[in-house]
Amino acid sequence: MNRVAKLFFVIFLSAAVYTQAFAFLASSEKYNYSIDFPEGFEIAEMEEDESSILFACKYLEAKTLIRVWEKDKFKNSDEAMKHTMTRLEADASYQGTTWRKQEASIAMFSSPLLLAGEMASGWGFTVALPLQKGYLTILSYTKKELSDDLMQVLVSVLDSVMIDDGSFKEPGIITSTYFPREKEKSVSLKIGGKTVRTKIDEIDAEANQFVIDREFSVFKFYVDNNLPEVYDAWVRFYRIIGKDATLRLKKVSFDIYSALRSDSNKKDSSNPNAALAQTLLNWVQEFSYERASTSPDKADITDILSTLTGKSSDCDARSLLLAVLYKNLGIESCMFISSEYSHAMVGAFLEGKQGQTISVDGRDFLVGETTAKGLTFGLMDSTMQDRKKWITVEIY
């Protein structure tokens, strides 16, 4: 599982060392952007001034070209994108958008200059980088005849770009543009004997399902081809879904905290977050159980927003929902998955609490069983206690 790291590229290993899971994030220190690539992408070419980098996937005929333009070269992102397309002699259509409070331009294009002797087709975007660092253009493409087959991979790359701290915790530019916020709807949650009134957007569930379907298509390639990074791809599948859901659940998390804060303090004044985490764990244990799919061609996970509002779900949807809520509430959390046990659990770092744990980056995270009613943190099925068979999923 080697990945090339040249010059400015810093490769971060996740904290999942003790459960055999590794996540790779390519980040530019100079320009302050990051990309959570699907597995197998490596640097093929790079300019010494870091302004141009080409990534190529060793498993798929997919490439990603990154170009950073000086801020004063263009008036806006649309001009920078159209300049790029002109230089590439590309036939392109454009979509203006705003992402992370920065104006941006998305393009669908075909170009005869990106691949030697062949027509390339793909998606790209240009966005103004924060702190006046310039314009970031990213093109994700393949051979034109493969563009339909690899569309999900190409879009996944673009949607996995982060340009500041906040973009690690919200939908990517493609999902944000094509599933814009529409209208808030009221949601009432029964948690720990309290009624929590909150709101989500009407588009949230559909948008999160779009991310699930897209990322499952990407993950399935690694499964079908029995690639060595299949477990890394599995982790990324959940991580990207969680990233998409984090901002969508921000207000929900705040409203839960406001409604349950007093009771949590009464239950455990020395560690009210632990009491709150337990209340939420018992809440999801009461959800109706149902698998989202039994087909190998469809993702077996309910979207996170529908899980929140009561749609039948199973262990992975509930564990990911809790991990995101805990993150928003300031409780360190993760998700544990196991192919051998065909199961998932939530993990939380609850200092001072005892029970069954899995070590993450040298710290013990208590496990939480989401499908057995009435269980507390730290209880684990006696037939599922081999730590080597659990993989850690950390969300941003």
Side-chain angles (χ1 to χ4, degrees):
M1 293 185 290
N2 294 323
R3 180 171 291 193
V4 179
K6 296 183 180 178
L7 300 179
F8 80 103
F9 263 83
V10 181
I11 304 298
F12 296 99
L13 272 74
S14 80
V17 173
Y18 294 93
T19 52
Q20 312 302 312
F22 298 86
F24 293 85
L25 182 69
S27 297
S28 166
E29 291 184 337
K30 181 174 182 179
Y31 294 110
N32 197 37
Y33 67 82
S34 300
I35 307 177
D36 191 341
F37 278 107
E39 279 56 42
F41 276 83
E42 299 176 340
I43 296 174
E45 300 174 16
M46 184 167 67
E47 296 293 333
E48 290 185 6
D49 65 359
E50 308 174 9
S51 63
S52 179
I53 307 99
L54 177 65
F55 278 85
C57 183
K58 62 185 178 182
Y59 298 123
L60 295 162
E61 292 191 64
K63 295 186 177 182
T64 299
L65 178 63
I66 302 169
R67 181 70 165 90
V68 178
W69 304 100
E70 293 180 1
K71 182 67 176 179
D72 59 3
K73 187 175 179 65
F74 305 106
K75 295 178 181 178
N76 51 48
S77 291
D78 186 61
E79 185 178 298
M81 174 57 83
K82 288 179 178 176
H83 171 81
T84 302
M85 292 293 104
T86 299
R87 290 186 61 177
L88 293 173
E89 299 178 10
D91 179 18
S93 59
Y94 304 94
Q95 170 73 55
T97 189
T98 300
W99 180 59
R100 295 301 302 158
K101 298 182 179 179
Q102 304 290 335
E103 49 89 17
S105 178
I106 297 173
M108 294 178 61
F109 65 88
S110 294
S111 168
L113 301 184
L114 285 167
L115 297 173
E118 297 191 67
M119 184 67 73
S121 184
W123 286 61
F125 73 83
T126 297
V127 65
L129 289 168
L131 304 177
Q132 302 294 309
K133 288 182 177 287
Y135 291 100
L136 173 68
T137 295
I138 298 185
L139 307 180
S140 185
Y141 58 93
T142 185
K143 295 178 181 179
K144 188 169 185 177
E145 62 266 27
L146 297 177
S147 59
D148 288 342
D149 293 338
L150 297 185
M151 181 65 68
Q152 303 285 41
V153 175
L154 304 182
V155 173
S156 177
V157 170
L158 298 183
D159 231 19
S160 302
V161 176
M162 286 78 75
I163 60 170
D164 56 16
D165 290 344
S167 53
F168 281 79
K169 297 177 172 61
E170 71 165 58
I173 187 171
I174 302 299
T175 304
S176 296
T177 299
Y178 292 98
F179 292 87
R181 299 184 70 80
E182 295 182 344
K183 180 183 178 182
E184 286 188 332
K185 67 176 183 179
S186 297
V187 173
S188 182
L189 308 172
K190 298 289 187 180
I191 307 176
K194 298 283 187 179
T195 298
V196 179
R197 292 182 173 83
T198 188
K199 293 181 179 180
I200 59 175
D201 195 272
E202 291 182 346
I203 200 66
D204 282 339
E206 182 183 352
N208 194 240
Q209 186 63 54
F210 164 76
V211 173
I212 289 172
D213 293 341
R214 182 192 72 210
E215 294 304 326
F216 182 75
S217 177
V218 176
F219 165 56
K220 191 173 182 295
F221 169 81
Y222 297 85
V223 176
D224 291 347
N225 290 279
N226 195 28
L227 296 177
E229 291 97 336
V230 63
Y231 287 107
D232 296 331
W234 193 22
V235 168
R236 182 182 180 274
F237 167 71
Y238 287 115
R239 185 170 63 246
I240 299 299
I241 297 169
K243 173 183 176 295
D244 177 81
T246 301
L247 181 63
R248 303 184 194 282
L249 293 174
K250 187 174 181 178
K251 176 172 174 51
V252 174
S253 304
F254 175 82
D255 291 336
I256 287 174
Y257 177 78
S258 298
L260 302 181
R261 175 177 53 186
S262 179
D263 281 358
S264 298
N265 278 312
K266 291 176 182 178
K267 290 177 181 178
D268 190 344
S269 59
S270 63
N271 193 347
N273 274 353
L276 178 57
Q278 183 61 55
T279 298
L280 292 176
L281 178 64
N282 291 145
W283 166 57
V284 303
Q285 289 168 350
E286 296 294 327
F287 289 180
S288 175
Y289 181 90
E290 185 179 349
R291 293 182 60 182
S293 173
T294 57
S295 168
D297 296 320
K298 184 175 174 58
D300 184 19
I301 179 173
T302 305
D303 77 84
I304 306 307
L305 282 301
S306 295
T307 301
L308 171 81
T309 56
K311 185 176 181 179
S312 297
S313 57
D314 65 358
C315 55
D316 55 352
R318 301 180 195 188
S319 296
L320 192 53
L321 168 64
L322 283 181
V324 172
L325 289 175
Y326 290 161
K327 283 279 188 179
N328 280 341
L329 290 165
I331 301 170
E332 292 186 73
S333 62
C334 64
M335 176 181 176
F336 299 116
I337 55 176
S338 171
S339 60
E340 288 85 350
Y341 297 137
S342 297
H343 198 44
M345 300 183 294
V346 69
F349 183 70
L350 304 174
E351 195 167 10
K353 301 301 179 181
Q354 303 298 312
Q356 295 282 347
T357 63
I358 294 178
S359 184
V360 179
D361 197 24
R363 296 188 301 166
D364 293 333
F365 278 59
L366 284 165
V367 300
E369 171 57 64
T370 63
T371 55
K373 297 181 179 181
L375 295 187
T376 59
F377 264 103
L379 294 181
M380 191 177 191
D381 191 312
S382 61
T383 65
M384 299 183 180
Q385 294 187 7
D386 186 345
R387 303 309 194 264
K388 294 179 180 178
K389 294 180 180 179
W390 289 98
I391 300 171
T392 302
V393 178
E394 292 184 276
I395 56 175
Y396 295 118

